[in-house]
């Protein structure tokens, strides 16, 4: 208080002193309440301006300016961190795309080298051309799925069809890779099991799960993968189980997130994330059963036709 206010206060009656005290207290508390409201809003992530509130003077105004400087510093740090995270995600996505496209590109390149031979028989040349065509189609599918994954949506072309041929298609796609790794595949899918699904995309789900198991079982003794299907509460329950080393507890809860990969040479961690997106687009669910000490068992629940 300045001397003038003190003189005025001492000359007033008790009622006047109370009124003056009330007015002065309000002049101090209102800016503080406004500042506290803005600070709480900023703490919740809401946009708020922390400049000096109306009527703020002295220490209150300085406190508000200090908070405003802190807010600006925090926002700049968050912006830089978000930019770095986005750049890292783009880098990981690019790495994943390059990794996934490497195999079909190698197939096309190998077929082209063979076809350079002028003495190649017509039937052999036709086989090489078909190999290149399948590899190019596979690349196109992979790029489409990565694009859909980045958008967070999958365009489906569903029709009622049996599941067994879809699983067999995925098994044939990876048959040579499993044979080279000494991995046996046992499939027990009832022929009467039908569902309304996009066969191409659902085959990709099983390819991704099989690739996940194959990469986890890169060992001299090989291993076994089993695919089983049965009805459960009106839906179809499909299990993909391997006898590999299992999933470390540290990543089980985050296994279906992008770029989560552990103990798999060359693995990028996008396969399971794409598989989950496709299954959920079909109205189903995919999960990992954690009851086993060794091996991994993935469970897919899909609506029956």
């Amino acid at each position: 208080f300045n001397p003038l206010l003190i003189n005025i206060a001492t000359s007033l009656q008790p009622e006047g002193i109370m009124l003056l005290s009330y007015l002065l207290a309000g002049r101090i508390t209102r800016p503080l309440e406004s500042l506290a409201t803005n600070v709480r809003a900023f703490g919740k992530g809401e946009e708020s301006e922390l400049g000096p509130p109306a009527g703020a003077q002295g220490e209150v105004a300085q406190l508000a300016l200090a908070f405003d400087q802190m807010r600006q510093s925090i926002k700049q740090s968050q912006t830089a961190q978000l930019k770095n995270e986005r750049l890292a995600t783009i880098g990981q996505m690019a790495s994943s795309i390059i990794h996934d496209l490497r195999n079909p590109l190698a197939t096309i390149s190998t077929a082209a080298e063979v076809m350079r031979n002028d003495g190649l028989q017509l039937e052999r040349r036709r086989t090489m051309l078909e190999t290149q065509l399948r590899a190019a189609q596979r690349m196109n599918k992979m790029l489409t799925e990565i694009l859909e994954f980045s958008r967070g949506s999958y365009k489906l072309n569903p029709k009622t069809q049996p599941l067994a041929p879809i699983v067999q298609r995925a098994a044939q796609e990876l048959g040579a890779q499993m044979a080279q790794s000494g991995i046996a595949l046992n499939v027990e899918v009832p022929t009467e099991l039908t569902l309304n699904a996009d066969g191409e995309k659902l085959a990709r789900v099983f390819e991704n799960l099989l690739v996940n198991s194959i990469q986890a079982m890169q060992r001299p003794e090989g291993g076994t993968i089993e695919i089983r299907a049965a009805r459960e509460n009106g839906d179809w329950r499909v299990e993909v189980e391997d006898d590999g080393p299992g999933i470390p507890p540290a990543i089980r809860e985050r296994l279906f997130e992008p770029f989560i990969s552990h103990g798999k040479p060359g693995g990028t961690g996008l396969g399971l994330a794409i598989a989950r997106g496709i299954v959920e687009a079909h109205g189903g669910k995919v999960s990992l059963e954690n009851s086993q000490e060794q091996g991994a068992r993935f469970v897919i629940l899909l609506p029956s036709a």
Side-chain angles (χ1 to χ4, degrees), residues 103-169:
N103 286 338
L105 280 173
T107 300
I108 294 174
S109 177
T110 301
E113 288 292 332
V114 173
M115 291 176 63
R116 289 177 62 183
N117 185 355
D118 293 336
L120 198 66
Q121 295 181 357
L122 181 61
E123 188 63 29
R124 179 66 170 165
R125 187 178 296 274
R126 182 181 294 111
T127 300
M128 291 293 99
L129 286 172
E130 291 175 353
T131 300
Q132 288 182 318
L133 179 60
R134 285 196 300 270
Q137 290 172 341
R138 184 182 176 192
M139 289 172 60
N140 184 59
K141 284 195 305 179
M142 292 163 61
L143 289 173
T144 300
E145 287 164 358
I146 292 174
L147 179 61
E148 290 176 334
F149 170 76
S150 65
R151 290 174 176 171
S153 62
Y154 293 85
K155 183 179 180 181
L156 303 180
N157 296 305
K159 67 176 182 179
T160 301
Q161 57 189 306
L163 178 63
I166 297 176
V167 176
Q168 291 295 341
R169 189 185 316 164

Side-chain angles (χ1 to χ4, degrees), residues 41 92 206 250 261:
Q92 288 177 305
F206 290 104
S261 180

Side-chain angles (χ1 to χ4, degrees), residues 59 65 196 285:
E59 288 81 358
L65 287 174
N196 189 38
K285 296 180 180 179

Side-chain angles (χ1 to χ4, degrees), residues 94-290:
S95 175
S96 173
I97 294 172
I98 293 170
H99 174 269
D100 287 347
L101 294 180
R102 189 168 292 159
N103 286 338
L105 280 173
T107 300
I108 294 174
S109 177
T110 301
E113 288 292 332
V114 173
M115 291 176 63
R116 289 177 62 183
N117 185 355
D118 293 336
L120 198 66
Q121 295 181 357
L122 181 61
E123 188 63 29
R124 179 66 170 165
R125 187 178 296 274
R126 182 181 294 111
T127 300
M128 291 293 99
L129 286 172
E130 291 175 353
T131 300
Q132 288 182 318
L133 179 60
R134 285 196 300 270
Q137 290 172 341
R138 184 182 176 192
M139 289 172 60
N140 184 59
K141 284 195 305 179
M142 292 163 61
L143 289 173
T144 300
E145 287 164 358
I146 292 174
L147 179 61
E148 290 176 334
F149 170 76
S150 65
R151 290 174 176 171
S153 62
Y154 293 85
K155 183 179 180 181
L156 303 180
N157 296 305
K159 67 176 182 179
T160 301
Q161 57 189 306
L163 178 63
I166 297 176
V167 176
Q168 291 295 341
R169 189 185 316 164
Q172 291 174 0
E173 189 73 28
L174 299 168
Q177 190 174 344
M178 286 187 286
Q180 185 178 6
S181 301
I183 297 173
L185 175 64
N186 301 323
V187 179
E188 298 178 10
V189 179
T191 56
E192 67 273 13
L193 190 163
T194 58
L195 68 171
N196 189 38
D198 186 318
E200 291 290 334
K201 286 186 169 54
L202 209 54
R204 179 65 169 164
V205 170
F206 290 104
E207 285 181 28
N208 289 353
L209 292 176
L210 288 173
V211 167
N212 184 76
S213 295
I214 293 169
Q215 291 176 340
M217 293 193 293
Q218 294 299 311
R219 55 191 185 185
E221 65 271 25
T224 303
I225 303 175
E226 296 186 0
I227 301 180
R228 300 180 293 268
R231 186 175 290 277
E232 181 179 281
N233 299 326
D235 294 333
W236 291 113
R237 174 187 172 97
V238 187
E239 298 179 357
V240 180
E241 183 177 1
D242 65 60
D243 59 0
I247 308 297
I251 66 170
R252 286 178 182 174
E253 298 298 325
R254 304 173 55 224
L255 190 60
F256 291 95
E257 295 178 12
F259 313 121
I260 300 299
S261 180
H262 178 82
K264 297 182 296 181
T268 59
L270 261 186
L272 293 181
I274 291 176
R276 181 181 64 176
I278 295 175
V279 170
E280 290 179 351
H282 282 84
K285 296 180 180 179
V286 59
S287 60
L288 171 72
E289 287 197 344
N290 295 331

